[in-house]
Amino acid sequence: MNAPDKRPALAPNRFTAYGTELTSRMLLGTAQYPSPQIMAEAVAVSKTGIVTVSLRREQARGRTGERFLELIRALNVHVLPNTAGCRTAKEAVTTAQMARELLDTDWIKLEVIANDDTLQPDLFGLVEAAAILTRDGFKVFPYTTEDLGAADRLLAAGCEILMPWGAPIGSGRGLANPYGLKTMRAYFPGTPLVIDAGVGAPSHAAAAMEMGYDAVLLNTAVAKAGDPVRMAAAFAAAIDAGRTAYEAGLMEPRDMAQPSTPVAGTPFFDLPPRTG
């Protein structure tokens, strides 16, 4: 009879955002899919607990946007509206207020963009808008960089979660500054951190999770894949694997080789002299 396994069980593959426990560490965007049906199937396969929606884009669609929002509500997951496309704190605050009224949620993914080419966050406007929104009762998910000073100010403004970019939005480059991201993880050990933007392959998502990040937000890499549904499943598996590896304890890299089989006690045999 085998002895019972006394090893401690790994923590459930979930994390908490603003007091809400989520059963998946994958957040999924809803833009750019070939069809609403494929988007819905990708969401279902990913088992995500949060989908993001651009209020400005859906407003521009008019009645089509209204039908799209009905589909989003039918997914039975948390909806995280975002302020994509906003370039000032005032514009972002106004968009967030409209999103709260339309979608009946105080969650908001806050984006204030500084540069049209890189879509890099405007850290000054971001902190300003975050302070206004948290005072107004919003639960802010700020799209930021790995800048530690900005992170400190966002937390002081009332944010309870940080979402640093991996690389520019839609670039698929992965983790452009792994050193900075590792430093951020170490500097804020108790703060939920979500990699947002730039992830292009499941291996990028797994690498972020192996660093100890709490979740990954994806959109383009899934929506623009040849098969978005299968790609959503691939990312979900990679995120689970990366988190499990982090919790299990990854080995530290070494500069020199170390034999996996110890040489101490290895028998050595005298060979007969060669002749001829």
Side-chain angles (χ1 to χ4, degrees):
M1 181 176 180
N2 294 330
D5 190 345
K6 297 182 179 179
R7 293 175 298 179
L10 294 176
N13 199 12
R14 59 186 65 190
F15 79 110
T16 300
Y18 285 104
T20 298
E21 188 174 65
L22 301 162
T23 57
S24 170
R25 294 178 180 273
M26 180 173 173
L27 288 68
L28 194 59
T30 56
Q32 305 183 75
Y33 289 85
S35 71
Q37 180 61 34
I38 290 176
M39 182 272 292
E41 291 177 10
V43 169
V45 165
S46 73
K47 299 181 180 179
T48 181
I50 297 178
V51 295
T52 62
V53 176
S54 171
L55 179 64
R56 292 166 65 92
R57 184 182 69 250
E58 299 313 324
Q59 280 184 314
R61 290 180 176 179
R63 291 185 177 181
T64 303
E66 291 176 7
R67 292 196 296 271
F68 183 80
L69 292 177
E70 290 175 3
L71 174 63
I72 293 296
R73 295 187 183 100
L75 295 174
N76 197 30
V77 295
H78 293 280
V79 178
L80 179 61
N82 66 43
T83 62
C86 293
R87 284 168 170 74
T88 67
K90 182 178 180 180
E91 190 178 11
V93 168
T94 300
T95 302
Q97 292 168 340
M98 294 172 60
R100 180 166 62 182
E101 181 176 348
L102 180 64
L103 297 171
D104 192 27
T105 179
D106 56 6
W107 284 17
I108 191 72
K109 181 191 170 191
L110 180 61
E111 298 183 28
V112 183
I113 300 302
N115 182 277
D116 289 338
D117 292 323
T118 65
L119 300 181
Q120 179 174 337
D122 177 351
L123 300 180
F124 301 101
L126 186 66
V127 172
E128 179 186 350
I132 294 170
L133 290 171
T134 54
R135 287 198 299 268
D136 194 24
F138 281 90
K139 296 177 174 63
V140 178
F141 294 67
Y143 165 60
T144 184
T145 69
E146 64 274 28
D147 185 280
L148 299 183
D152 272 327
R153 286 165 174 78
L154 287 167
L155 295 176
C159 298
E160 296 181 10
I161 191 169
L162 299 171
M163 302 179 71
W165 65 349
I169 293 173
S171 68
R173 289 171 51 195
L175 308 182
N177 183 10
Y179 172 79
L181 292 172
K182 287 179 182 179
T183 301
M184 190 176 198
R185 176 71 284 179
Y187 199 82
F188 300 103
T191 300
L193 299 180
V194 179
I195 292 293
D196 178 11
V199 172
S203 57
H204 299 158
M209 300 307 292
E210 289 171 2
M211 287 182 186
Y213 274 75
D214 295 279
V216 176
L217 194 158
L218 306 158
N219 191 170
T220 306
V222 173
K224 303 296 282 186
D227 186 335
V229 177
R230 293 186 68 188
M231 187 61 75
F235 269 104
I239 289 169
D240 285 349
R243 181 65 188 188
T244 300
Y246 170 74
E247 292 174 347
L250 292 159
M251 68 174 290
E252 293 293 330
R254 296 172 56 88
D255 293 329
M256 301 295 290
Q258 182 179 23
S260 56
T261 302
V263 296
T266 300
F268 292 91
F269 301 97
D270 290 331
L271 300 176
R274 297 177 63 183
T275 60

